[in-house]
């Protein structure tokens, strides 16, 4: 199991540390869909009892990252293409509104920070960091809206799909398209055109969602076909 582990046997917030470590591993794709999360093994990795592990898994299940299956226990959730499509549809409704509220309040410093992150995203050679930089870019544009509940909802939606999105960026032309679209969104923000920035953000999210769904359909069909031939 590929999870960053720490000896936290004497720490009071053991369940929080375990939760964050497992969430990070799921979001980054180090823990793959359908992978079993054995409580005893995780407890040994972190040198704790199973109680904080159960608490962490319960929180992950509440966020939709883990599900409990009969005879298998906790496993990393597998999203259907319908669920992925719905999450992107939800983001495409919420995030443009967030940007509309943010653009009039953006400072020059906030725009400079967004520009720096966009440049880092465009030049980052390691795909492991693409999801994090993509999230940082959008957050930099949304923060001025001062709507923490909206941002929390966006964060939860991104957690659900980031592991798939990173793979899609690697395996398709999604990275180059994301660079271009980020540049257009940022230019609209710098021009203080909130309406245009919101429109571009909605198009950006919907396009990414369609690309990801198409990729998942193809890759899962190929995987199922390979599995069928192997068992024949």
């Amino acid at each position: 199991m590929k999870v960053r582990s720490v000896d936290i046997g004497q720490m009071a917030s053991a369940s929080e540390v375990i939760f964050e470590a497992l969430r990070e591993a799921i979001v980054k794709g180090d823990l793959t869909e359908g992978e079993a999360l054995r409580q005893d093994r995780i407890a040994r990795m972190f040198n704790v009892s199973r109680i904080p592990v159960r608490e962490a898994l319960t929180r992950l299940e509440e966020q939709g990252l883990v599900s409990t299956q009969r005879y298998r226990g906790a496993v990393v959730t597998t999203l259907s293409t319908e669920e992925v499509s719905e999450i992107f549809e939800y983001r495409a409704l919420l995030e443009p509104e967030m940007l509309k509220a943010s653009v009039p309040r953006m400072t020059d410093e906030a725009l400079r920070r967004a520009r720096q992150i966009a440049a880092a995203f465009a030049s980052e050679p390691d795909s492991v960091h693409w999801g994090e930089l993509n999230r940082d870019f959008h957050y930099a544009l949304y923060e001025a809206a001062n709507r923490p509940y909206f941002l929390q909802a966006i964060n939860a939606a991104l957690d659900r799909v980031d592991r798939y999105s990173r793979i899609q960026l690697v395996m398709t032309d999604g990275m180059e398209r994301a660079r271009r679209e980020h540049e257009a969104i940022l230019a609209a923000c710098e021009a203080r055109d909130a309406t245009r920035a919101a429109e571009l953000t909605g198009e950006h999210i919907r396009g990414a969602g369609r690309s990801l769904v198409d990729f998942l359909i193809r890759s899962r069909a190929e995987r199922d076909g390979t599995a069928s031939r192997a068992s024949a």
Side-chain angles (χ1 to χ4, degrees):
M1 184 184 295
K2 189 176 179 182
V3 180
R4 175 175 52 84
S5 60
V6 183
D7 185 343
I8 57 173
Q10 303 304 313
M11 295 178 64
S13 58
S15 64
E16 178 69 24
V17 175
I18 296 169
F19 165 78
E20 290 295 343
L22 292 175
R23 188 194 69 82
E24 179 184 358
I26 292 170
V27 170
K28 288 185 175 180
D30 293 335
L31 292 174
T32 58
E33 59 180 35
E35 185 168 347
L37 303 175
R38 304 297 183 192
Q39 292 187 27
D40 54 349
R41 185 178 181 186
I42 296 171
R44 287 195 302 271
M45 290 176 66
F46 290 91
N47 190 30
V48 296
S49 71
R50 294 174 64 176
I51 294 174
V53 177
R54 283 199 297 270
E55 293 172 351
L57 292 175
T58 297
R59 289 184 62 191
L60 289 167
E61 188 164 12
E62 290 171 353
Q63 293 194 357
L65 296 176
V66 164
S67 61
T68 301
Q69 296 183 1
R70 193 175 183 182
Y71 305 123
R72 294 193 68 200
V75 300
V76 178
T77 303
T78 299
L79 290 180
S80 68
T81 53
E82 291 79 11
E83 289 171 316
V84 170
S85 181
E86 183 178 355
I87 290 170
F88 275 86
E89 180 183 353
Y90 170 72
R91 289 184 56 208
L93 292 172
L94 183 59
E95 293 183 45
E97 293 304 312
M98 188 75 155
L99 197 52
K100 278 184 183 179
S102 184
V103 169
R105 302 178 180 180
M106 282 183 188
T107 64
D108 291 341
E109 177 57 33
L111 287 168
R112 279 194 294 271
R113 181 169 176 270
R115 174 64 66 183
Q116 290 172 350
I117 296 170
F121 177 82
S123 61
E124 176 57 56
D126 189 346
S127 64
V128 170
H129 302 299
W130 290 352
E132 180 181 358
L133 287 168
N134 179 67
R135 187 182 298 221
D136 287 348
F137 171 75
H138 286 282
Y139 279 15
L141 297 179
Y142 301 155
E143 282 176 346
N146 194 27
R147 294 184 178 179
Y149 183 80
F150 276 38
L151 200 59
Q152 183 181 14
I154 293 168
N155 185 61
L158 287 170
D159 277 353
R160 297 290 302 277
V161 296
D162 264 4
R163 53 193 153 130
Y164 299 105
S165 296
R166 185 167 67 88
I167 296 171
Q168 179 257 335
L169 288 173
V170 173
M171 301 301 292
T172 69
D173 66 345
M175 187 62 177
E176 181 55 37
R177 185 174 64 193
R179 291 187 185 112
R180 295 195 305 269
E181 292 175 357
H182 283 180
E183 177 61 32
I185 293 168
L186 182 53
C189 291
E190 291 171 335
R192 307 293 179 171
D193 189 340
T195 300
R196 181 57 176 161
E199 290 174 352
L200 290 170
T201 298
E203 293 169 3
H204 170 63
I205 294 169
R206 285 189 292 270
R210 288 192 297 269
S211 178
L212 177 54
V213 168
D214 289 344
F215 170 76
L216 288 174
I217 290 172
R218 292 195 308 272
S219 61
R220 287 173 176 175
E222 292 171 0
R223 179 192 63 193
D224 293 344
T226 300
S228 297
R229 289 192 296 272
S231 62

